[in-house]
Amino acid sequence: MMRNPFRREDARRRAIEALHIRINAGARVPALYLDLGVPDTVEGRFEALCLHVVLVLRHLRRLPAPAADIAQDLVNSVFAQLDSSLRELGVGDMGVSKRMKKLAQAFYGRAAAYDAALDAGDRDGLAAALARNVLARDEPDAARGLAAYVAAADAALAGTDLDALMAAGPVLPDPAAFAGPAA
């Protein structure tokens, strides 16, 4: 009996797509926009998606194999979605490549800023990076609640193994819990 050589690849692709969908759902929780000030715009949704993908990628970097392969597949899936979205918006082939380059630079720049602040435990630096990138404001105090949410999400992910992450997606705190001055 001949085996299907594509079965394993298809199962892996479906698993990555499911993880991507769950991350997308986490980035679209209304409280991020209503309570933590993320702008409900195309740019704001891109920023929320980047933020959540970065958090999952941070966690995947700390896990044993095949986490690194999953991380690369996730990045590929995210950028394929962004490419598709640009095309749906009517951006032509020439414009897509330029915009994808800018989106990739933005994504990796944000990842570096968030990683550095989270690794250093620098909540003020994280708030400043989030204010600048996500909220598009130069007011770090406006991003204190978002910074508390991001730190809590990073900590929650740290307690998740690869099987649980792939089965249920990232288990994230409720963003509404970080709204207000006490956050």
Side-chain angles (χ1 to χ4, degrees):
M1 178 188 275
M2 200 163 154
R3 296 167 114 216
N4 183 349
F6 301 108
R7 177 173 278 140
R8 184 177 299 169
E9 275 302 307
D10 194 44
R12 183 178 176 134
R13 181 187 51 77
R14 283 194 314 270
I16 295 300
E17 285 175 358
L19 178 60
H20 183 177
I21 288 168
R22 290 181 186 112
I23 294 168
N24 235 337
R28 293 198 175 207
V29 171
L32 285 168
Y33 304 90
L34 298 172
D35 298 326
L36 296 181
V38 176
D40 193 7
T41 61
V42 171
E43 293 82 7
R45 287 176 183 242
F46 168 76
E47 294 296 344
L49 176 64
C50 283
L51 177 60
H52 287 81
V53 170
V54 165
L55 288 169
V56 171
L57 291 175
R58 279 178 56 78
H59 181 55
L60 287 170
R61 275 198 315 263
R62 296 181 180 113
L63 294 174
D69 294 334
I70 291 169
Q72 185 59 58
D73 289 345
L74 177 60
V75 169
N76 293 344
S77 178
V78 168
F79 280 95
Q81 176 200 19
L82 292 171
D83 182 281
S84 177
S85 295
L86 287 173
R87 291 176 192 283
E88 285 177 19
L89 290 170
V91 178
D93 288 339
M94 297 287 276
V96 167
S97 101
K98 284 183 188 177
R99 290 190 185 181
M100 287 301 295
K101 184 176 180 179
K102 285 183 181 178
L103 290 174
Q105 289 171 337
F107 176 82
Y108 287 111
R110 283 148 176 75
Y114 304 153
D115 278 343
L118 286 165
D119 288 344
D122 181 4
R123 190 72 65 92
D124 291 337
L126 181 59
L130 292 168
R132 183 177 55 254
N133 296 319
V134 178
L135 305 182
R137 296 164 58 177
D138 196 19
E139 304 167 26
D141 286 341
R144 297 247 178 256
L146 185 58
Y149 164 76
V150 170
D154 191 52
L157 284 166
T160 307
D161 67 20
L162 185 59
D163 290 336
L165 181 65
M166 294 306 292
V171 177
L172 303 167
D174 179 8
F178 300 92

